[in-house]
Amino acid sequence: MRNLAADFRHTCEQHEGMAGYGWDEYDVRSGGRQTIHDEGNDIDLTTEFIKVPGGNHGGSWGVRIRGTPRDSAPPDLKTTVIFSAGMEGLGSLEVANSPDPLGMEGTVSLEGQTSELGDFKIDITEGPNTNAHPRRGHQSYDEKPLDRTMVASFQVPEEALWQTKPLMFTHMKKEIDGYIEKYGTEQHPPPWQTFTISNEAGPGNLHLIQKVFEGPFESVGESFLERFSHTLAPNAPFDTSDYERFSQSLFSNLIGGIGYFYGDSLVDRSYASEYEEENEGFWEETAEARGRSSVKIEGPSELYTSIPSRPFFPRGFLWDEGFHLLPVVDWDIDLTLDIVKSWFSLMDEDGWIGREQILGPEARSKVPQEFQVQYPHYANPPTLFLVLESFVDKLNAGNSNGKKSLNEQDLGNDLHTTHLDNDELAIQYLRDLYPLLKRHYFWFRRTQWGDIKSYDREAYSTREAYRWRGRTPQHILTSGLDDYPRAQPPHPGELHVDLISWMGMMTRSIKRIAETLGEAEDTTEFAGYETAIVRNIDDLHWSNKHQTYCDATIDDYEESAHVCHKGYISIFPFMTGLLPSDSPHLKAVLDLISDPTELWSDFGVRSLSQKDEFYGTEENYWRSPIWMNMNYLIVNALLTHAQTPGPHQTQATEIYTSLRQNLVQTVYEAWEKTGFAWEQYNPDTGEGQRTQHFTGWTSLVVKMMTMPDLKEGKRKGGAHDEL
């Protein structure tokens, strides 16, 4: 029983003896093909998911499962496949076949009804005639022949429906105990007969359908490949079949992780005064406040989102999602806008969106208890505004063909780009979303403000400064950069250069949306904020001594002082597009990026300078590794400066060309070696590390490959010493 529990695959998990897995091609509108290389069980599984449009509820769908024994498998390999179907909420789901104590022959049908879908039917077919099943080798076969399909039905509490695997094992153990009692241990049936469910089809809200195969078994067309070659085809030097296959796989797994999530969540709305974090030692006060707070269950809520990693982070993360959608916006703008709208629909009356959406008990089972509660004063980088800005770019680039309304024929055609093909639809989408965008924007300004006046700081504006809430001496989890070195000890007078940069990007984005909507007064207001933020970034965060951008804190003499840890933080104004090509600080930023003794490596830009005292220390999460989301922002900013006339255009072009090459090669080589994309990459070896199958923002290399090749020659080493 112990081996069965270890070898039985259910949810997607890390380190289960897989030689790789993931979608080979996938489109949410038509389906896809996924391959699972199960080295531990000696079989490769291919699942094909096909959607057929029609009807009032999105059409019909089908799944085909094919098992191919691996080269190491015995010729008579036995494999069991179990399909489970459960009904949550109001509705019904029943087995339509007549009960048969020996098991069912032919197609097994489930019939159901819900208020949302009406009547529906699920058929589990026999598959082709080539499917083989274990033959009789024990007298127990006569009471449960394995060339039939076993069906068991259960009525379980709704909150336990997601626990299919333990429920199945509990049921299966009764069958195993029955075999032991009847046949003893000497005449026990073989494993493929023993580890089966009972034939007890009937009423219930959970149904298990089991088939047992011997040898190979089988229970999307060209449209994806053709469309990919037109939409996301890699440019030189990645315009080869190997890189195209790599790009298709990463992108398919990114959009293959898109799902619908529903459930309640844990929120602390005590609004304790300590959560303002206004006193020195505030992190100790907030810890005490959390200990005495009354956490409440809110919801249920629903969310349509992609996820960072199927095995380890199978839920929505706010700042991850903006990065996830940057490649998707080029593939399917309508899908992208649906997801953005779903996220903003989670907003409360104050303008807050929880940074981690842990919806329901199944989602919470994957998260340590100390991280399950969400706090309405905690922010997260507003990366969804990057996606909306990309949408505005596409509108302004003339992608709209000027059609003013949709007709019935449009709705029957390809729905990837209707918001670009119809001006009226695009403007209406932005107009509907705009009040939520403003509410969220002003929530940021109200809750994450930084103190300028109390410490006599000199700046263009006395209002444009920002500080992350949720700070501890070890972490600022809310910033997304967790353990990146900050001022010690924390101080309520801190100012964070990454946050003011995010606010600058957010302000620019919402200003452009207001301008697109013809909101003249709002456009003027946001333009004023943007100017003040850009000016204050230099006034408050530029260090002449260190020639870089830095956080600020209050020293022992109650004066503002820079805290400089060169790394991603230092180049945030550049990464968020707030440094013009004629900035007096651009040269220093470019030098820092391309210096091999600081941030540059042959595999990408490091998160922290090698010269920093905290480089590679303690958790070493954001203290050396290469992260693809930050590197994408760097490459994108370099491309902008490489294509804009200015004194440092040549340098930007050189760095862009080398960095783009290095990043794509790093992810590609690790993928070829291990079969996985990874959460982060080692700056010394380029090897993937931490979470495997991290096809969230690591898939941004797909977008990098579509960027233009700006240089005839290319090299592997640092760009700095060639300039």
Side-chain angles (χ1 to χ4, degrees):
M1 192 67 178
R2 182 181 303 140
N3 288 338
L4 176 70
D7 296 338
F8 193 93
R9 314 305 187 199
H10 180 47
T11 52
C12 184
E13 305 289 346
Q14 294 196 96
H15 313 304
E16 282 197 336
M18 298 294 176
Y21 58 88
W23 292 99
D24 304 312
E25 53 186 76
Y26 187 86
D27 187 340
V28 294
R29 299 187 186 277
S30 58
R33 183 181 68 249
Q34 175 182 230
T35 305
I36 303 169
H37 302 283
D38 191 347
E39 192 172 35
N41 282 323
D42 281 324
I43 196 161
D44 290 339
L45 288 175
T46 300
T47 62
E48 292 177 295
F49 176 56
I50 300 169
K51 297 176 70 175
V52 181
N56 298 319
H57 305 290
S60 301
W61 54 267
V63 175
R64 179 168 60 187
I65 302 172
R66 181 185 297 114
T68 304
R70 295 174 64 84
D71 292 341
S72 57
D76 60 345
L77 177 71
K78 311 296 192 300
T79 305
T80 186
V81 177
I82 297 178
F83 175 79
S84 66
M87 172 60 67
E88 290 183 336
L90 299 176
S92 63
L93 183 66
E94 298 179 352
V95 180
N97 304 59
S98 299
D100 189 327
L102 293 180
M104 296 185 182
E105 296 182 292
T107 296
V108 176
S109 296
L110 299 174
E111 294 180 348
Q113 186 276 332
T114 68
S115 58
E116 295 85 0
L117 291 178
D119 296 332
F120 63 89
K121 185 178 181 181
I122 302 173
D123 290 334
I124 298 94
T125 67
E126 280 192 296
N129 294 331
T130 53
N131 283 347
H133 306 277
R135 293 178 291 277
R136 187 184 189 280
H138 189 275
Q139 64 189 88
S140 59
Y141 189 96
D142 298 332
E143 38 190 80
K144 193 188 290 185
L146 299 183
D147 59 353
R148 297 196 179 198
T149 302
M150 291 149 277
V151 182
S153 303
F154 311 88
Q155 185 68 41
V156 301
E158 185 173 322
E159 62 272 15
L161 271 174
W162 64 273
Q163 301 183 63
T164 307
K165 186 174 179 179
L167 288 170
M168 183 204 67
F169 281 151
T170 300
H171 167 78
M172 198 176 278
K173 187 175 186 305
K174 295 178 182 177
E175 292 291 291
I176 296 169
D177 291 343
Y179 281 134
I180 293 174
E181 183 178 346
K182 187 171 183 176
Y183 299 107
T185 56
E186 297 298 324
Q187 299 296 322
H188 200 272
W192 49 89
Q193 185 80 50
T194 301
F195 297 113
T196 53
I197 62 177
S198 64
N199 283 305
E200 296 180 83
N205 60 354
L206 176 65
H207 307 277
L208 302 180
I209 298 97
Q210 182 178 19
K211 293 178 179 289
V212 182
F213 300 100
E214 181 173 308
F217 62 88
E218 183 177 318
S219 192
V220 178
E222 302 257 330
S223 58
F224 172 85
L225 301 178
E226 182 180 350
R227 188 159 186 274
F228 192 92
S229 66
H230 285 93
T231 308
L232 291 170
N235 283 320
F238 311 113
D239 50 347
T240 66
S241 59
D242 286 344
Y243 280 106
E244 187 163 3
R245 177 176 57 91
F246 162 64
S247 185
Q248 289 167 358
S249 176
L250 257 62
F251 183 72
S252 294
N253 282 284
L254 171 64
I255 60 173
I258 293 173
Y260 172 82
F261 299 84
Y262 181 86
D264 53 31
S265 55
L266 303 179
V267 180
D268 176 358
R269 290 195 183 272
S270 61
Y271 298 105
S273 59
E274 292 89 343
Y275 290 165
E276 296 295 328
E277 301 182 9
E278 293 181 340
N279 301 320
E280 295 186 31
F282 61 80
W283 61 94
E284 296 172 342
E285 297 176 349
T286 56
E288 286 184 20
R290 284 195 297 272
R292 67 172 184 268
S293 67
S294 177
V295 175
K296 295 183 178 180
I297 296 178
E298 294 192 357
S301 302
E302 59 181 2
L303 177 63
Y304 187 40
T305 185
S306 49
I307 57 175
S309 168
R310 286 166 61 189
F312 200 72
F313 297 112
R315 55 191 177 276
F317 288 78
L318 181 55
W319 91 297
D320 293 59
E321 191 62 11
F323 290 113
H324 296 165
L325 293 178
L326 288 172
V328 182
V329 75
D330 295 332
W331 173 262
D332 191 330
I333 187 67
D334 296 340
L335 168 67
T336 302
L337 296 179
D338 279 347
I339 292 174
V340 170
K341 183 178 180 180
S342 182
W343 270 98
F344 279 102
S345 296
L346 294 171
M347 189 182 303
D348 70 7
E349 293 181 356
D350 293 327
W352 170 73
I353 303 172
R355 66 189 185 91
E356 190 171 347
Q357 294 298 315
I358 313 168
L359 303 181
E362 182 176 6
R364 286 195 285 275
S365 72
K366 288 271 191 177
V367 182
Q369 188 171 1
E370 62 267 29
F371 299 121
Q372 293 180 8
V373 179
Q374 301 296 297
Y375 297 89
H377 59 291
Y378 284 0
N380 216 202
T383 57
L384 290 175
F385 282 80
L386 291 170
V387 180
L388 291 171
E389 195 165 24
S390 180
F391 177 43
V392 172
D393 285 340
K394 292 179 182 296
L395 291 176
N396 293 341
N399 286 336
S400 172
N401 64 17
K403 289 172 65 176
K404 295 301 179 186
S405 60
L406 287 172
N407 56 43
E408 199 169 314
Q409 183 179 358
D410 293 322
L411 294 174
N413 294 332
D414 181 29
L415 295 179
H416 294 85
T417 59
T418 53
H419 284 84
L420 293 179
D421 297 336
N422 297 270
D423 292 346
E424 188 178 279
L425 195 63
I427 295 301
Q428 190 58 52
Y429 176 88
L430 290 175
R431 194 167 298 284
D432 291 344
L433 198 64
Y434 187 59
L436 294 176
L437 301 180
K438 289 181 66 176
R439 191 194 305 174
H440 193 48
Y441 176 78
F442 285 107
W443 175 87
F444 259 93
R445 294 180 63 85
R446 188 173 63 253
T447 63
Q448 309 299 304
W449 64 279
D451 195 344
I452 296 177
K453 296 180 182 179
S454 298
Y455 304 102
D456 296 326
R457 285 167 161 147
E458 296 183 3
Y460 171 84
S461 167
T462 59
R463 302 186 64 177
E464 299 301 334
Y466 295 91
R467 172 171 66 97
W468 295 108
R469 302 311 194 263
R471 173 93 152 90
T472 69
Q474 294 79 28
H475 300 102
I476 308 184
L477 298 179
T478 49
S479 73
L481 306 184
D482 298 16
D483 66 333
Y484 192 99
R486 306 279 186 161
Q488 293 295 342
H491 194 281
E494 278 181 39
L495 302 177
H496 298 131
V497 66
D498 53 327
L499 180 51
I500 194 173
S501 300
W502 284 123
M503 289 303 300
M505 179 281 297
M506 191 184 193
T507 306
R508 180 186 67 224
S509 176
I510 199 169
K511 179 198 72 175
R512 295 186 62 197
I513 293 169
E515 190 174 26
T516 301
L517 294 174
E519 298 286 347
E521 290 186 6
D522 284 2
T523 301
T524 301
E525 179 182 0
F526 292 131
Y529 296 150
E530 183 183 17
T531 297
I533 287 172
V534 171
R535 292 284 297 272
N536 273 20
I537 286 175
D538 280 356
D539 290 348
L540 296 171
H541 293 285
W542 178 258
S543 169
N544 286 320
K545 177 182 177 181
H546 297 93
Q547 285 294 291
T548 194
Y549 290 101
C550 308
D551 284 344
T553 190
I554 302 302
D555 64 18
D556 294 338
Y557 303 99
E558 290 295 301
E559 294 181 353
S560 185
H562 286 128
V563 178
C564 299
H565 295 284
K566 291 182 179 180
Y568 290 159
I569 291 291
S570 314
I571 56 177
F572 245 92
F574 171 79
M575 291 194 293
T576 49
L578 302 179
L579 248 61
S581 292
D582 60 356
S583 167
H585 306 314
L586 179 58
K587 179 70 166 66
V589 169
L590 295 176
D591 287 347
L592 176 61
I593 291 171
S594 57
D595 186 346
T597 68
E598 298 269 18
L599 302 186
W600 186 269
S601 85
D602 288 346
F603 308 102
V605 176
R606 307 169 194 268
S607 43
L608 189 65
S609 169
Q610 292 187 91
K611 295 180 178 179
D612 194 275
E613 61 179 308
F614 296 107
Y615 181 81
T617 60
E618 298 184 17
E619 294 174 36
N620 192 24
Y621 199 42
W622 290 86
R623 295 188 175 191
S624 75
I626 295 163
W627 292 82
M628 289 301 147
N629 60 334
M630 296 290 100
N631 273 271
Y632 167 78
L633 292 179
I634 296 168
V635 170
N636 193 55
L638 287 167
L639 176 60
T640 298
H641 289 286
Q643 295 178 325
T644 304
H648 310 296
Q649 185 176 13
T650 300
Q651 184 181 11
T653 303
E654 290 281 348
I655 303 172
Y656 163 80
T657 300
S658 293
L659 182 58
R660 174 173 172 260
Q661 170 79 43
N662 291 353
L663 292 168
V664 174
Q665 195 69 23
T666 295
V667 180
Y668 173 76
E669 290 181 357
W671 178 77
E672 277 280 276
K673 179 180 178 180
T674 66
F676 297 110
W678 294 82
E679 182 179 9
Q680 55 180 218
Y681 293 83
N682 188 292
D684 298 318
T685 66
E687 293 183 354
Q689 55 190 37
R690 297 276 181 165
T691 305
Q692 66 176 209
H693 203 69
F694 196 90
T695 51
W697 62 40
T698 298
S699 299
L700 282 164
V701 294
V702 172
K703 184 108 171 164
M704 295 181 205
M705 283 188 277
T706 67
M707 292 177 173
D709 183 19
L710 299 184
K711 188 177 180 182
E712 294 179 1
K714 54 186 182 294
R715 65 190 183 86
K716 181 76 175 176
H720 178 73
D721 50 14
E722 267 196 4
L723 303 175

